Amino acid sequence: MHARVIAATAAAVLGCTALLSPAHEVRADTAVRPSVIAHRGASAYAPENTLAAVDRAAAMGVLWVENDVQRTKDGELVVIHDDTLRRTTDAERVFPGRAPWNVKDFTAAEIARLDAGSWFGAAYKGTRVPTLKAYLDRVEQHHQSLLLEVKNPELYPGVEQQILETLDDEGWLDRRHLTDRLIVQSFSAAALRTVHRLRPGVRTGLLGAPAAADLSGYAGYADLINPSHTALSPAYVDAVHALTGPHGAPMRVFAWTVDDAATARTVAGYGVDGVITDKADVVRRALYWY
Ligand code: G3P
Ligand code: CA
């Protein structure tokens, strides 16, 4: 058996004995890996990027959630994936004359009126688009950790600083959170450089899979490289792990979006440190047998 597979299996055994309750969930900073991260919350089972999806992840005993942060017309940070409201809210019905329903063209009060749950299922009718503040409060309430994505930062000048201020105001930049409760990720290397410049203690992850030869260029400000699982290979994971990140630890890899058992086992065998998934139960069962 490949050494990495043996390591992953041993980690799974350790994890299995430790994971008797949500309070003992595998953390992203322990030797046990990979961590399981609920993508947009438990998004296969509740409407993505809502408090219901956070609650569902918590109910499943998943302590890491991922989200997407954007900004309204009047400067409120909100949690939503697309840069328009069309797919995940009833904005077209409520505001018929406002095409193309860009998030940045609506006020926070307008977005607060929208139903962000019915598109997913009738049981979620009335679910709202959360503000980042409300989202942080809920994640904290569940003692979960957050993989926060700065989404489309080119649309929202200064959003990195605003996100950091909100995190600070909500108590998310203290030592405990910085150590193992928060990672900020983005497809934008520029956004991550800004985050690192403004708050060097915050761990960051670059979404995507830069060429292996270019990876060292990111090691000054990115703690993780987070590629699509389709872009991964054992050699690529090794190349990332060989580098030291800005906080003195080996750079790490979280793979997305892995929703089936076979792929979860494959990327775990590659040695990834985290698996980002819509179906945390499927991945956890595949890797940790519970
Ligand atoms: O966390 C990885 C993943 O969220 C990146 O893609 O489009 O789902 O935000 P996307
Ligand atoms: Ca995301």
PDB file of all heavy atoms in Angstrom, residues 62-74:
ATOM      1  N   VAL A  62     -20.107  18.539  11.715  1.00  0.00           N
ATOM      2  CA  VAL A  62     -19.037  19.070  10.860  1.00  0.00           C
ATOM      3  C   VAL A  62     -18.650  20.441  11.374  1.00  0.00           C
ATOM      4  O   VAL A  62     -19.494  21.336  11.444  1.00  0.00           O
ATOM      5  CB  VAL A  62     -19.506  19.174   9.395  1.00  0.00           C
ATOM      6  CG1 VAL A  62     -18.399  19.746   8.517  1.00  0.00           C
ATOM      7  CG2 VAL A  62     -19.936  17.804   8.902  1.00  0.00           C
ATOM      8  N   LEU A  63     -17.390  20.597  11.700  1.00  0.00           N
ATOM      9  CA  LEU A  63     -16.986  21.847  12.347  1.00  0.00           C
ATOM     10  C   LEU A  63     -16.372  22.871  11.402  1.00  0.00           C
ATOM     11  O   LEU A  63     -16.166  24.010  11.792  1.00  0.00           O
ATOM     12  CB  LEU A  63     -16.013  21.566  13.493  1.00  0.00           C
ATOM     13  CG  LEU A  63     -16.670  21.093  14.781  1.00  0.00           C
ATOM     14  CD1 LEU A  63     -15.680  21.117  15.927  1.00  0.00           C
ATOM     15  CD2 LEU A  63     -17.887  21.941  15.123  1.00  0.00           C
ATOM     16  N   TRP A  64     -16.083  22.494  10.173  1.00  0.00           N
ATOM     17  CA  TRP A  64     -15.588  23.492   9.222  1.00  0.00           C
ATOM     18  C   TRP A  64     -16.661  23.762   8.168  1.00  0.00           C
ATOM     19  O   TRP A  64     -17.182  22.825   7.561  1.00  0.00           O
ATOM     20  CB  TRP A  64     -14.321  23.011   8.508  1.00  0.00           C
ATOM     21  CG  TRP A  64     -13.075  23.292   9.289  1.00  0.00           C
ATOM     22  CD1 TRP A  64     -12.533  22.509  10.266  1.00  0.00           C
ATOM     23  CD2 TRP A  64     -12.224  24.435   9.170  1.00  0.00           C
ATOM     24  NE1 TRP A  64     -11.399  23.098  10.766  1.00  0.00           N
ATOM     25  CE2 TRP A  64     -11.181  24.276  10.113  1.00  0.00           C
ATOM     26  CE3 TRP A  64     -12.228  25.577   8.364  1.00  0.00           C
ATOM     27  CZ2 TRP A  64     -10.154  25.219  10.263  1.00  0.00           C
ATOM     28  CZ3 TRP A  64     -11.210  26.512   8.515  1.00  0.00           C
ATOM     29  CH2 TRP A  64     -10.192  26.331   9.452  1.00  0.00           C
ATOM     30  N   VAL A  65     -16.972  25.058   7.988  1.00  0.00           N
ATOM     31  CA  VAL A  65     -17.873  25.450   6.911  1.00  0.00           C
ATOM     32  C   VAL A  65     -17.161  26.461   6.008  1.00  0.00           C
ATOM     33  O   VAL A  65     -16.321  27.240   6.461  1.00  0.00           O
ATOM     34  CB  VAL A  65     -19.196  26.050   7.434  1.00  0.00           C
ATOM     35  CG1 VAL A  65     -20.019  24.989   8.153  1.00  0.00           C
ATOM     36  CG2 VAL A  65     -18.956  27.248   8.342  1.00  0.00           C
ATOM     37  N   GLU A  66     -17.536  26.410   4.748  1.00  0.00           N
ATOM     38  CA  GLU A  66     -17.014  27.363   3.755  1.00  0.00           C
ATOM     39  C   GLU A  66     -18.152  28.282   3.357  1.00  0.00           C
ATOM     40  O   GLU A  66     -19.328  27.879   3.347  1.00  0.00           O
ATOM     41  CB  GLU A  66     -16.520  26.570   2.541  1.00  0.00           C
ATOM     42  CG  GLU A  66     -15.750  27.400   1.514  1.00  0.00           C
ATOM     43  CD  GLU A  66     -16.562  27.835   0.307  1.00  0.00           C
ATOM     44  OE1 GLU A  66     -17.787  27.590   0.267  1.00  0.00           O
ATOM     45  OE2 GLU A  66     -15.981  28.459  -0.590  1.00  0.00           O
ATOM     46  N   ASN A  67     -17.824  29.551   3.055  1.00  0.00           N
ATOM     47  CA  ASN A  67     -18.856  30.454   2.547  1.00  0.00           C
ATOM     48  C   ASN A  67     -18.269  31.390   1.492  1.00  0.00           C
ATOM     49  O   ASN A  67     -17.086  31.298   1.145  1.00  0.00           O
ATOM     50  CB  ASN A  67     -19.515  31.236   3.693  1.00  0.00           C
ATOM     51  CG  ASN A  67     -18.613  32.304   4.288  1.00  0.00           C
ATOM     52  OD1 ASN A  67     -17.491  32.508   3.838  1.00  0.00           O
ATOM     53  ND2 ASN A  67     -19.108  32.975   5.300  1.00  0.00           N
ATOM     54  N   ASP A  68     -19.124  32.266   0.961  1.00  0.00           N
ATOM     55  CA  ASP A  68     -18.736  33.221  -0.081  1.00  0.00           C
ATOM     56  C   ASP A  68     -19.261  34.591   0.332  1.00  0.00           C
ATOM     57  O   ASP A  68     -20.449  34.746   0.607  1.00  0.00           O
ATOM     58  CB  ASP A  68     -19.365  32.827  -1.420  1.00  0.00           C
ATOM     59  CG  ASP A  68     -18.980  31.422  -1.840  1.00  0.00           C
ATOM     60  OD1 ASP A  68     -17.838  31.241  -2.312  1.00  0.00           O
ATOM     61  OD2 ASP A  68     -19.806  30.508  -1.684  1.00  0.00           O
ATOM     62  N   VAL A  69     -18.365  35.582   0.355  1.00  0.00           N
ATOM     63  CA  VAL A  69     -18.746  36.910   0.857  1.00  0.00           C
ATOM     64  C   VAL A  69     -18.725  37.938  -0.271  1.00  0.00           C
ATOM     65  O   VAL A  69     -17.743  38.043  -1.021  1.00  0.00           O
ATOM     66  CB  VAL A  69     -17.790  37.347   1.991  1.00  0.00           C
ATOM     67  CG1 VAL A  69     -18.142  38.750   2.476  1.00  0.00           C
ATOM     68  CG2 VAL A  69     -17.853  36.353   3.147  1.00  0.00           C
ATOM     69  N   GLN A  70     -19.840  38.675  -0.375  1.00  0.00           N
ATOM     70  CA  GLN A  70     -19.931  39.764  -1.356  1.00  0.00           C
ATOM     71  C   GLN A  70     -20.520  40.988  -0.655  1.00  0.00           C
ATOM     72  O   GLN A  70     -20.756  40.974   0.557  1.00  0.00           O
ATOM     73  CB  GLN A  70     -20.785  39.327  -2.542  1.00  0.00           C
ATOM     74  CG  GLN A  70     -20.298  37.997  -3.118  1.00  0.00           C
ATOM     75  CD  GLN A  70     -20.626  37.787  -4.564  1.00  0.00           C
ATOM     76  OE1 GLN A  70     -20.299  38.598  -5.428  1.00  0.00           O
ATOM     77  NE2 GLN A  70     -21.279  36.678  -4.832  1.00  0.00           N
ATOM     78  N   ARG A  71     -20.798  42.078  -1.418  1.00  0.00           N
ATOM     79  CA  ARG A  71     -21.201  43.331  -0.778  1.00  0.00           C
ATOM     80  C   ARG A  71     -22.395  43.953  -1.479  1.00  0.00           C
ATOM     81  O   ARG A  71     -22.488  43.961  -2.710  1.00  0.00           O
ATOM     82  CB  ARG A  71     -20.023  44.315  -0.792  1.00  0.00           C
ATOM     83  CG  ARG A  71     -20.240  45.535   0.088  1.00  0.00           C
ATOM     84  CD  ARG A  71     -18.948  46.276   0.330  1.00  0.00           C
ATOM     85  NE  ARG A  71     -18.437  46.923  -0.868  1.00  0.00           N
ATOM     86  CZ  ARG A  71     -17.195  47.402  -0.997  1.00  0.00           C
ATOM     87  NH1 ARG A  71     -16.332  47.282   0.003  1.00  0.00           N
ATOM     88  NH2 ARG A  71     -16.814  47.974  -2.104  1.00  0.00           N
ATOM     89  N   THR A  72     -23.304  44.528  -0.670  1.00  0.00           N
ATOM     90  CA  THR A  72     -24.496  45.170  -1.214  1.00  0.00           C
ATOM     91  C   THR A  72     -24.183  46.597  -1.671  1.00  0.00           C
ATOM     92  O   THR A  72     -23.108  47.142  -1.417  1.00  0.00           O
ATOM     93  CB  THR A  72     -25.597  45.239  -0.139  1.00  0.00           C
ATOM     94  OG1 THR A  72     -25.155  46.142   0.893  1.00  0.00           O
ATOM     95  CG2 THR A  72     -25.890  43.878   0.457  1.00  0.00           C
ATOM     96  N   LYS A  73     -25.195  47.197  -2.310  1.00  0.00           N
ATOM     97  CA  LYS A  73     -25.070  48.572  -2.813  1.00  0.00           C
ATOM     98  C   LYS A  73     -24.711  49.561  -1.707  1.00  0.00           C
ATOM     99  O   LYS A  73     -23.940  50.500  -1.918  1.00  0.00           O
ATOM    100  CB  LYS A  73     -26.411  48.972  -3.449  1.00  0.00           C
ATOM    101  CG  LYS A  73     -26.464  50.325  -4.087  1.00  0.00           C
ATOM    102  CD  LYS A  73     -27.848  50.539  -4.693  1.00  0.00           C
ATOM    103  CE  LYS A  73     -27.943  51.873  -5.405  1.00  0.00           C
ATOM    104  NZ  LYS A  73     -29.299  52.046  -5.992  1.00  0.00           N
ATOM    105  N   ASP A  74     -25.277  49.341  -0.523  1.00  0.00           N
ATOM    106  CA  ASP A  74     -25.018  50.255   0.591  1.00  0.00           C
ATOM    107  C   ASP A  74     -23.948  49.737   1.545  1.00  0.00           C
ATOM    108  O   ASP A  74     -23.835  50.186   2.681  1.00  0.00           O
ATOM    109  CB  ASP A  74     -26.316  50.590   1.343  1.00  0.00           C
ATOM    110  CG  ASP A  74     -27.065  49.339   1.801  1.00  0.00           C
ATOM    111  OD1 ASP A  74     -26.771  48.234   1.289  1.00  0.00           O
ATOM    112  OD2 ASP A  74     -27.939  49.469   2.663  1.00  0.00           O
TER     113      ASP A  74
END
